[in-house]
Amino acid sequence: RTMALSQQREQSLRLSLALEQQNLAALKAQLEPHFMFNALNAMSALVRSAESDKALVALEKLSDLLRYALASSEKIWVSMEEEIRFVQDYLSLQKLRYGERMQVSMLGMEDAVLACDCPPLLLQPLLENALRHDLECYKGRGDIALEFHYSLDGLRIIVSNPVHVGFMVQAGFGLGLKTIRARLTSLYRDKARLNTTTEAG
């Protein structure tokens, strides 16, 4: 009877794991078209502005981004170092679009941070969201910060952008943030969370 119960418990755990993996795959599949849509939007802005040289460079950068997105779609975890490299490539693509208006600082990238594991495509939607609520809604210079704070309790990541009073960004679907929240819950349960707040501008 004990052996039968043990086998039943093991089978139940296997089923739960299979369901979680299907859930994660569905969430990632949701996120990747969203990323593609926004990357193509950035490129179409370059084409419309008749900056063909920049558009060609952007095509090359987009192919690198897609290579990472496709390779990481087979994985549940990547290193934070890989994820940061991907984000830097994404930002260099956006830099072609926004030029010197786009200012992004990255702080706290110590060895312990780079060695951490994280779900792939975790940071890019957060930076995309910051760009959307900063540079896309006014014509001035942006000031986006990505900060990492590592401790024995875990890793805290802060993405911040200024709020521009009187300027309204076109409302999106909120898919990026919703998907990240769902993925964090699926992978970490209550050990990880995503908070969004407005503080002091």
Side-chain angles (χ1 to χ4, degrees), residues 43 46 52-67 89 92-93 96:
M43 288 190 58
L46 289 174
S52 55
D53 290 347
K54 284 186 178 180
L56 285 171
V57 174
L59 266 175
E60 290 175 18
K61 292 188 179 298
L62 182 58
S63 71
D64 291 338
L65 294 174
L66 290 176
R67 201 172 292 118
D89 287 343
S92 66
L93 172 62
L96 292 170

Side-chain angles (χ1 to χ4, degrees), residues 44-85:
S44 68
L46 289 174
V47 172
R48 280 197 302 274
S49 65
E51 296 184 84
S52 55
D53 290 347
K54 284 186 178 180
L56 285 171
V57 174
L59 266 175
E60 290 175 18
K61 292 188 179 298
L62 182 58
S63 71
D64 291 338
L65 294 174
L66 290 176
R67 201 172 292 118
Y68 176 84
L70 286 170
S72 67
S73 68
E74 303 296 319
K75 303 173 184 176
I76 296 177
W77 305 104
V78 294
S79 72
M80 188 60 75
E81 185 173 10
E82 292 173 287
E83 185 71 3
I84 289 170
R85 200 178 306 126

